[in-house]
Amino acid sequence: MSGIQVQGSAVSRDVGLWEWFSNPETWTSERGILPSLLDTLTLCAGVMVVAIMIAVPLGASLAHKRKGEITATGVVNIGRALPTFAVAGLLVPISLRQGWGFEPWPIFIALTLLAIPPIYLNTYTAVRQSNSGAVEAARAMGFSERDVLFRVELALGAGLILAGIRIAAVQVVATEPIRAYLGGDGLGRYVRDGLGQNNQTLLIGGAILVAGLATATGLLMGLGERLVLPEGVRRLRVSQSRTV
Amino acid sequence: MIPEILANRNPLLRWDWVVNEWDQIQEALLQHLQLTFLSVLYGLLLSAVLAAFALRYRWALSTVTATTGFLYTIPSVALFGLLVPYTGLSARTAIIALTSYTLLILVTNIVAGFRSVPASVIEAANGMGLSPRRRVLTVELPLALPYIITGLRIATVTTVGLVTVAAIIGQGGLGRLILDGLRRAFWTPMTVGASLSVLLALALDLLIFGAGAAATPWTRRVRR
Amino acid sequence: MKKSSLLAIVLAVVVAILLAATACGDDDDDSGADGGAAPEGPTITIRGQDFSEAETIAEVYAQYLQAKGYDIEILTAAGFRAEAVDGIRNGDLDLIVDYIGGSQTELRPDEDTSASPDDVISVITPAYEEIGATVLDYSPAVDGDALVVRGDADAEKISDLVGKNFAFGASAQCYERPQCFIGYTAPDVYGIEFGEEKTIEFGPLLGEALKAEEVDAVVWNTTAPQIEAEGFKVLEDDKGLHPAQNIAPIINTETLDAYGDTLSSDLNALSAAISTEDLLQWNTETDINKRESDDVAAEWLEAESLT
């Protein structure tokens, strides 16, 4: 079988995990790990940008107006319980029939729905729970409502909001592999091929890659939070996250 | 509008299928409940032990958090696939995987709960001459309970969603209906499976919330 | 006030769901044997593979044996060939029904395949014997591999695809099989170069992708009812790459011996009665008309007077 030139698709079952990982071809070939990783990261980044653009303004403005407390938890719970696979699976035939292809809309929408709840919930909580003394003081100093929201409530809640974004990002990265089951590729392709071809090397290797990426995402974003947040807000975050 | 939907052979929801296949739907719902219940139960027991270690020894906390955090990020499809060679296409496989996904949330919340107990309260309890065991059970645990309940709610809702993925190994409760629908391009079972799974999650969430509120009456006054 | 009434409603819903789920949960309708001497022997456990046709086939064999008075347990369809063979190997399953060419690629991947069912049977019979199972008579019903293109494609046989740069779609399994992707692209077999290769889950998505022109050729099966419904065409396998894919029951030898000749003759009679057209008709019922496989199986058995 090894004599046949296979176009970067199948990996023999006899190839061990280490052998697979240490082969440069595995990483750099046309459908290798690096292009797949880039593919996955591009999609996830796009999803996160859209989710943040929807969830943060919505959560902040509703919380600032003290509106929609019950819907806040309700929406979040529905979002959390919604099986992403079913949503994406329902959307695929629709997308195909509309001529939009397999990718990226079905998986993009499904992942965005997954990412919105944690960001929305944390933004809502952050703004809602911001120190009422600080808010009153700002108003007394003649801050406009806009300034109260942006310069006091959002600033003080930045830590919690960033934490929400981090949680969402980890979930999105860990869930994105289902796209391999819906006519796409990305990093999930190794898990899919491993399961389909009964190939433990691909399956375990793929699982390590996805879990590693999700873990790295969480760590890097946690590090980013430390760098971005001012000392005072960081301390605040510790006491705040305990009251959530 | 209605005749148009009826004329379609494959609408989002075909009520006659729901009626005819009610047995199958009930069975799926029951299996979904069983898998969720057992996974969260085992998860809670295991998390209690892990959290106890983490609270006791400093080094254990980071190890436990890192390990459960890593488990949490393994894609569910892959974890099921990895376990099948050892535990087969069985409920056991599903429960092992689902339990491992509850650990991060539960351990984090149990630890946060016990950490939230003010030092002054612990000193007061010690001053009253309570044994450590009694102090933990009668003073610290009740005060940590709101956090644990929150963790339990998140873990339960997440598990209900994840059970659907176990359909790929022939378990999966309502996920079975979703997968069947995907395989046949038949929307009714997908709609039924997905919406019942969301409803079940919401219902269990409120159930635990209600039970938690009943168990911690003192928190009610604090609520604004 | 508002909050507590909401809570009450939701609690009521929970209780209702729980009651619905537990009440009248399992009303087993063991119709059992209808008179005569029921065959004596161990329970026969059957599990279909996880796609419509295999599920219906498993239902047909299970319901047929049940009506003959055998003690049958049918498990929820799960997994594919590898899991079915594992089930036979470790004793979880007593009876599976598989496509013989597929069985060969699972058990003897390195041996040459053949379009003649008898050749394939002669390879898989000893392979199954090694894991304690017996291959019974194969059925005339065939569900073969098929390279499918849109009706307006300028190709009649697989070799016509050479130089066309078609976009190719198939399941992950196909990409590692000599009788599939590897054979299509190998210079010494078909030597086709595809413009693009996409991995698509086996099933109706293949048809959707073909129709939406996401791909130009897909690897499907000959009894997929969408092929006719959508006006697709199956390319002729002019170099004989695809193996024979008749269906055949494979049974745990101990179980078979415990029942003696009646079981094998009963199973052989059923296999002989199933035709390729039946498979196509079952798939049309389950996948196009969206009916459930157990109902389809029961109806067919009754129509054929087999129950």
Side-chain angles (χ1 to χ4, degrees), chain A residues 85 88-89 92 102-103 107 178-184, chain B residues 182, chain C residues 199 201 205:
Chain A
F85 195 63
V92 165
F102 275 112
E103 300 228 82
I107 186 72
I178 62 167
R179 119 193 220 215
Y181 281 89
L182 300 164
Chain B
L182 273 179
Chain C
T199 306
E201 279 295 282
L205 267 189

Side-chain angles (χ1 to χ4, degrees), chain A residues 1 14 21 57 59 69 79 87 98 115 128 144-145 162 173 186 242:
Chain A
M1 200 186 284
D14 311 329
F21 268 127
E69 183 136 24
V87 175
Q98 295 296 321
R128 188 80 172 79
S144 66
E145 281 309 299
L162 287 179
V173 169
R242 285 198 180 169

Side-chain angles (χ1 to χ4, degrees), chain C residues 16 26 29-30 33 36-37 65 70 84-85 89 97 111 118 140 145 160 191 212 214 255 272 282 284-285 289-290 292:
Chain C
D26 26 3
D29 48 317
D30 264 66
L65 290 178
Y70 293 91
V85 172
R89 192 181 281 128
V97 185
E111 278 187 51
D118 291 313
D145 309 311
D160 290 347
E214 280 288 305
T255 312
W282 298 345
T284 307
E285 288 299 326
N289 298 333
K290 319 292 184 197
E292 298 304 297

Side-chain angles (χ1 to χ4, degrees), chain A residues 160-224:
Chain A
L160 205 53
I161 297 173
L162 287 179
I165 292 174
R166 185 187 62 215
I167 294 167
V170 172
Q171 274 182 4
V172 166
V173 169
T175 311
E176 190 262 3
I178 62 167
R179 119 193 220 215
Y181 281 89
L182 300 164
D185 275 323
L187 220 46
R189 64 194 308 270
Y190 300 106
V191 172
R192 171 198 67 203
D193 293 350
L195 276 179
Q197 300 171 359
N198 213 358
N199 185 326
Q200 292 289 307
T201 300
L202 285 181
L203 177 58
I204 297 173
I208 290 174
L209 286 172
V210 175
L213 179 64
T215 308
T217 306
L219 288 177
L220 284 177
M221 292 188 73
L223 207 66

